[in-house]
Amino acid sequence: SSAYTVGPGDILNIIVWDHPELSLAGATQAASIEGGNVGTGYNVSADGRIQFPFAGAVKVAGLTELQIRNKLTSALSTYITEPQLTVQIRSYRNQRVYLSGEVNRPGLQNLDDIPMSLPEALNRAGGLTKEADRSSIVLNRQGQETRINLTRLIEQGLNPNRIMLKNGDMVRVNNRDRAKVFLLGEVIRPQSLVMNDGQLTLAQALGEAGGA
């Protein structure tokens, strides 16, 4: 995990202490993608800039809150003696992950200044459905797929919360129906059986088939 960096679409709240006219000048009323009112703020443009008094068009994309504060402080120091600034991200709208498959609320989730783990993302998506295969979760990061077996991780004493998501990640939870075994030959009831979170012993399979 690393500090959140600002990108296009984010909204910044910037205060220049003892200079309220600078804090309000040029600020626009904006709403988050959830529809809630986020008050006045500086919207980061598509090219990653904000328009700030005296400083002009300032490139903020790819910078943290601290880096933006230092950059604006340096720009304003030519016009204001020892400027004191507070910079906060008012609305996080740039960095996202996408969840699909067997979750109750698939779709986009915004990343904020608190790093998001895989279990937290699944929880925000309403949790797994009854048909979800906990042994078959696929993380796609920059075109590279990694298969994650939550059941196996927990059995081995590994904490799934150590799996941190990054901007652009795509998480797909597969259906249990994709993990089947087929019993054929000298069994009473030849059939296909769905594995339980990737697990099914031979004894269990033969029992379901009525024995050999």
Side-chain angles (χ1 to χ4, degrees):
S1 60
S2 57
Y4 184 91
T5 55
V6 169
D10 287 337
I11 298 176
L12 304 180
N13 185 29
I14 303 173
I15 298 174
V16 183
W17 295 100
D18 297 327
H19 294 274
E21 71 282 1
L22 298 183
S23 301
L24 297 177
T28 57
Q29 193 76 12
S32 70
I33 60 174
E34 292 83 8
N37 188 356
V38 297
T40 55
Y42 291 87
N43 197 334
V44 181
S45 65
D47 62 353
R49 302 176 186 273
I50 60 171
Q51 291 286 341
F52 200 82
F54 296 132
V58 181
K59 185 80 170 182
V60 296
L63 302 180
T64 65
E65 290 177 336
L66 178 60
Q67 290 171 330
I68 295 172
R69 187 190 71 183
N70 292 339
K71 190 171 187 178
L72 288 175
T73 299
S74 176
L76 294 178
S77 60
T78 304
Y79 308 95
I80 301 174
T81 303
E82 297 183 356
Q84 301 294 318
L85 280 80
T86 297
V87 177
Q88 293 179 323
I89 302 174
R90 192 69 177 269
S91 181
Y92 298 86
R93 305 194 300 180
N94 176 258
Q95 298 191 21
R96 302 173 181 176
V97 298
Y98 182 77
L99 277 78
S100 64
E102 296 300 327
V103 291
N104 288 302
R105 293 193 299 272
L108 291 171
Q109 295 184 20
N110 288 346
L111 297 175
D112 53 27
D113 59 331
I114 302 176
M116 183 186 297
S117 67
L118 174 61
E120 182 181 355
L122 295 175
N123 183 63
R124 289 190 184 185
L128 302 177
T129 67
K130 294 181 179 179
E131 301 302 319
D133 185 354
R134 290 172 174 79
S135 69
S136 183
I137 299 176
V138 179
L139 169 63
N140 187 309
R141 176 172 295 170
Q142 296 180 344
Q144 181 176 351
E145 288 193 349
T146 301
R147 189 173 298 273
I148 300 168
N149 188 329
L150 285 182
T151 304
R152 185 74 57 82
L153 287 176
I154 295 173
E155 288 177 350
Q156 295 179 350
L158 301 176
N159 187 356
N161 283 302
R162 295 176 60 185
I163 303 175
M164 310 306 298
L165 300 183
K166 294 184 177 181
N167 182 36
D169 283 354
M170 299 181 66
V171 178
R172 183 180 73 252
V173 181
N174 288 326
N175 190 291
R176 294 173 59 237
D177 286 340
R178 299 184 62 176
K180 290 183 177 181
V181 295
F182 298 88
L183 279 77
L184 305 173
E186 298 301 322
V187 291
I188 296 176
R189 293 188 300 273
Q191 60 184 292
S192 64
L193 297 174
V194 177
M195 302 181 72
N196 183 19
D197 290 333
Q199 296 180 343
L200 183 67
T201 66
L202 178 60
Q204 289 172 331
L206 291 175
E208 291 290 337

